[in-house]
Amino acid sequence: VATGLAALVAARFEVKLAKTFQNHDWSKRPITSEQLDYLVGDVHYLLKLDTMLNADTTAADIVEEVRLECDYKLESALQPPRPGKPPHLRVKGQQGLSSAQRAVLYWLVDAREQQADRSDIPAYRIAGNPLLLEMAKKRPRKLTSVRAMCGRQWRATRLADVWLRAIERGLADGAPPDIPSPTDDVVALSRDEIAHRKKLETLLSKWRRREAETRGVDMQVVIPGHCMGGVLSALAETDNVERMNA
């Protein structure tokens, strides 16, 4: 079931919200009347939706579950992002680069991240991944060549000297820094442990589905998706398969 704002407004009020400016850069000025209408549509139905959804959760007797999930979402939003792959390794196509090219890509991405932080805008608005990947492949040595590669990406073009310095640094390094993976400390499971966890996961998923059907609620109400891993770990430790089958 779709739960986005547009889907809820369509289902509750039979109104189709425009998506014209969904990816618009709202730092641009002036704001047009069409853009203002779009912004109004984003908030116009919120209070009515809140009243309706509160009534629905009360009728379904899931007020506490919804409160706990909302608390979790709010707390998660305030937490710093979890460590993941280094940004340059998340660029599609980087696997085909040589070590020297990957070093250039590393510093190009690092420069973009710093510029995004300073400007307080998403990194992709500074320069797209395809552009940085192309620069890492070709490693231009002249400012005019960098500008030519940026083309009509005006933000990227203004930072041509930044890209050139990143390229020069990558060329000097010859290889990207050795950055530990966040999975380096993860303990590998044996085949028997993996098979046991898969069995538990199947049993837990079946129980979750049955419980949701019995209560007439979504499976997320029974056990939220983000809790499944923790529940599985607890079950694996207590070996509580018999209770799951009861």
Side-chain angles (χ1 to χ4, degrees):
V1 179
T3 56
L5 177 62
L8 289 173
V9 170
R12 303 279 178 155
F13 305 105
E14 297 184 354
V15 173
K16 185 177 181 180
L17 293 180
K19 296 185 178 180
T20 312
F21 299 105
Q22 193 170 28
N23 297 313
H24 179 66
D25 182 357
W26 293 100
S27 66
K28 291 183 177 180
R29 293 294 185 272
I31 294 179
T32 66
S33 58
E34 291 83 1
Q35 291 165 356
L36 283 173
D37 288 342
Y38 175 88
L39 293 173
V40 169
D42 254 9
V43 299
H44 179 72
Y45 298 95
L46 292 182
L47 292 178
K48 294 179 181 178
L49 274 174
D50 181 63
T51 300
M52 290 179 174
L53 294 175
N54 279 331
D56 288 351
T57 55
T58 301
D61 193 24
I62 57 172
V63 172
E64 182 65 9
E65 288 90 338
V66 171
R67 184 189 67 77
L68 289 172
E69 187 66 7
C70 288
D71 288 347
Y72 166 78
K73 292 294 185 182
L74 289 172
E75 185 179 347
S76 299
L78 297 174
Q79 297 300 316
R82 293 180 180 179
K85 281 185 178 181
H88 73 292
L89 295 182
R90 297 198 294 267
V91 175
K92 186 177 180 180
Q94 60 83 23
Q95 297 90 340
L97 299 180
S98 67
S99 181
Q101 290 171 327
R102 197 171 289 117
V104 172
L105 180 64
Y106 173 87
W107 288 112
L108 285 169
V109 172
D110 182 74
R112 179 181 66 177
E113 297 294 322
Q114 292 186 39
Q115 292 297 324
D117 286 343
R118 291 193 188 102
S119 303
D120 194 26
I121 60 176
Y124 73 88
R125 292 196 181 279
I126 298 292
N129 283 346
L131 172 61
L132 300 191
L133 184 68
E134 190 66 14
M135 284 196 284
K137 288 179 179 178
K138 295 183 177 179
R139 293 166 286 177
R141 289 359 184 240
K142 296 181 179 179
L143 200 58
T144 53
S145 300
V146 174
R147 288 198 180 104
M149 292 186 70
C150 293
R152 295 184 177 180
Q153 298 186 42
W154 64 274
R155 278 200 179 99
T157 302
R158 289 194 310 173
L159 296 169
D161 59 327
V162 173
W163 309 135
L164 185 60
R165 288 197 298 271
I167 292 168
E168 291 171 346
R169 185 165 184 178
L171 289 170
D173 287 354
D178 185 15
I179 302 174
S181 168
T183 59
D184 285 348
D185 296 330
V186 175
V187 178
L189 299 176
S190 67
R191 289 186 178 181
D192 288 343
E193 288 171 325
I194 292 173
H196 182 56
R197 285 184 69 92
K198 285 184 177 179
K199 181 179 179 180
L200 287 175
E201 184 176 7
T202 300
L203 291 170
L204 180 61
S205 297
K206 288 181 178 179
W207 174 84
R208 185 184 182 216
R209 189 177 298 108
R210 289 197 308 267
E211 184 71 10
E213 291 173 354
T214 300
R215 294 177 58 186
V217 297
D218 191 273
M219 289 190 294
Q220 284 289 109
V221 173
V222 180
I223 302 178
H226 61 85
C227 296
M228 288 290 285
V231 175
L232 278 171
S233 296
L235 288 171
E237 291 176 3
T238 59
D239 200 22
N240 210 356
V241 179
E242 291 78 12
R243 183 176 296 181
M244 291 292 303
N245 279 318

